[in-house]
Amino acid sequence: MTKTLSERIALFTDKHKNTGKQFLPVFIALKSDIEQALQDGWTVHQVWITLHDEGKIKCSYQWFRTLVNRHIADDSKQRLRNVPGKSATTDQDGFRFNSVTEKEELI
């Protein structure tokens, strides 16, 4: 007898629970190497192909890109925000918007 769609979905979800989370520890372990390769100018795809062929990464390319965007791209954005540089000051000369209309300016 054929199982219903709901029964088949339940079996599938039981088999494939948290599949994305199983790749995270491996990715975190290789994070510094991946980050260095990306800084050296290699593309995410080239890094994934090499690691996948070596058997170190077993996830799909799409999931690998997601991990890179979450864990490496976010870190570099955070570092860019924390770089000391020009700080915004409120007493700069230039255009200032005043929402109150003054009668002298209208004449």
Side-chain angles (χ1 to χ4, degrees):
M1 185 177 236
T2 306
K3 295 181 181 180
T4 66
L5 179 59
S6 293
E7 291 171 339
R8 294 190 319 251
I9 292 171
L11 287 173
F12 180 82
T13 54
D14 285 342
K15 285 182 186 177
H16 299 95
K17 264 187 191 173
N18 299 326
T19 55
K21 291 183 181 180
Q22 70 187 7
F23 303 120
L24 184 59
V26 175
F27 180 84
I28 296 299
L30 296 169
K31 181 180 173 185
S32 61
D33 293 336
I34 295 168
E35 196 168 16
Q36 184 60 46
L38 293 173
Q39 288 175 356
D40 290 344
W42 298 103
T43 64
V44 174
H45 190 257
Q46 290 168 325
V47 172
W48 176 79
I49 286 175
T50 304
L51 293 174
H52 195 265
D53 287 345
E54 292 173 352
K56 293 182 179 178
I57 294 281
K58 297 186 190 292
C59 63
S60 67
Y61 172 64
Q62 287 81 8
W63 187 250
F64 183 74
R65 281 183 42 211
T66 300
L67 292 171
V68 168
N69 289 335
R70 284 184 188 169
H71 298 284
I72 293 178
D74 289 344
D75 291 348
S76 63
K77 288 178 189 175
Q78 186 69 0
R79 274 190 237 121
L80 289 175
R81 285 188 206 128
N82 293 336
V83 171
K86 259 187 168 178
S87 61
T89 58
T90 57
D91 48 48
Q92 293 178 351
D93 291 335
F95 176 77
R96 293 181 192 265
F97 176 73
N98 185 1
S99 61
V100 179
T101 307
E102 296 182 17
K103 291 182 183 180
E104 296 87 30
E105 292 180 5
L106 294 176
I107 297 176

